[in-house]
Amino acid sequence: ETGVTQTPRHLVMGMTNKKSLKCEQHLGHNAMYWYKQSAKKPLELMFVYNFKEQTENNSVPSRFSPECPNSSHLFLHLHTLQPEDSALYLCASSQNGVTYNEQFFGPGTRLTVL
Amino acid sequence: DAKTTQPNSMESNEEEPVHLPCNHSTISGTDYIHWYRQLPSQGPEYVIHGLTSNVNNRMASLAIAEDRKSSTLILHRATLRDAAVYYCILRTPGNTPLVFGKGTRLSVIA
């Protein structure tokens, strides 16, 4: 138990659906992150929020839309996804965006797009 | 972030020490060396980090070469629960996130 929870743990959706992934951290951190982990590929950073402000968007397609209403919650809104978007989506948090802060990861949401 | 090179896989016997190498020949003077691991069906977890001096914590030790162009993560007594993918990551000071490579898949044999 890392203090970072993600829901749902598994999600199957069609290409025309709209769904949202939720991440919550109970650690009092100020930075939150979304990563994508596809099969046989390294983890890819998607978005970074620091004190609720988006500080990094790693050229992510607009069909992925993040939202950070407060420092404890992070959402990833999904719409019109493609089958190649099927992956494990991981959320992480850290005290802030400073270099030596360790990141705490959630268990991930396994997404399958049909 | 500077790149790191790790072996794709390693194997260890249970109860024996494991030395996981990482090469980072283009490291800059201010880059920190971080290690994370990812157990099966879980998100990555922090293991240890250092800058110049060797570091120890309850999980592992980190030995950093004098020229900082390589480092070694040491698990003193491997257990079956240590079977995971281990990532060596360099992190530049500032508001920079982690950049993961392919890591080393460690198998532990009972």
Side-chain angles (χ1 to χ4, degrees), chain A residues 37 42 45 97 99 101-103 105, chain B residues 36 38 44 91-95 97:
Chain A
Q37 188 171 34
L45 178 70
T99 298
N101 286 164
E102 65 179 277
Q103 288 188 12
F105 284 80
Chain B
Y36 279 73
Q38 187 172 17
R91 202 161 176 203
T92 307
N95 193 10

Side-chain angles (χ1 to χ4, degrees), chain A residues 61-114:
Chain A
S62 59
R63 57 186 184 270
F64 295 91
S65 175
E67 179 189 1
C68 189
N70 55 62
S71 292
S72 299
H73 294 86
L74 186 64
F75 295 89
L76 188 62
H77 304 298
L78 316 171
H79 62 98
T80 59
L81 294 193
Q82 306 297 311
E84 59 264 30
D85 296 322
S86 299
L88 181 68
Y89 288 85
L90 290 155
C91 173
S93 72
S94 65
Q95 188 172 359
N96 53 48
V98 178
T99 298
Y100 48 81
N101 286 164
E102 65 179 277
Q103 288 188 12
F104 294 79
F105 284 80
T109 295
R110 174 71 61 187
L111 174 67
T112 302
V113 182
L114 302 176

Side-chain angles (χ1 to χ4, degrees), chain B residues 19-22 24 33 35 48-56 60-66 68-76 88:
Chain B
H19 290 234
L20 296 162
C22 181
H24 29 79
I33 302 160
W35 283 83
I48 200 166
H49 79 275
L51 183 61
T52 55
S53 304
N54 295 344
V55 185
N56 300 297
S61 296
L62 176 61
I64 301 172
E66 200 167 327
R68 297 206 335 121
K69 294 186 176 183
S70 65
S71 60
T72 302
L73 180 71
I74 302 166
L75 306 179
H76 296 286
C88 169

Side-chain angles (χ1 to χ4, degrees), chain A residues 9 33 35 37 40 42-43 45 48 50 55-56 88 90 97-107, chain B residues 30 32 34 36 38 41-46 49 87 91-102:
Chain A
R9 294 293 308 276
Y33 312 78
Y35 288 85
Q37 188 171 34
K40 311 216 181 214
L43 276 84
L45 178 70
V48 181
N50 205 18
T55 55
E56 183 136 355
L88 181 68
L90 290 155
V98 178
T99 298
Y100 48 81
N101 286 164
E102 65 179 277
Q103 288 188 12
F104 294 79
F105 284 80
Chain B
T30 54
Y32 283 81
H34 290 246
Y36 279 73
Q38 187 172 17
S41 302
Q42 294 187 30
E45 65 174 344
Y46 168 83
H49 79 275
Y87 300 98
R91 202 161 176 203
T92 307
N95 193 10
T96 58
L98 297 171
V99 177
F100 287 79
K102 294 184 179 179

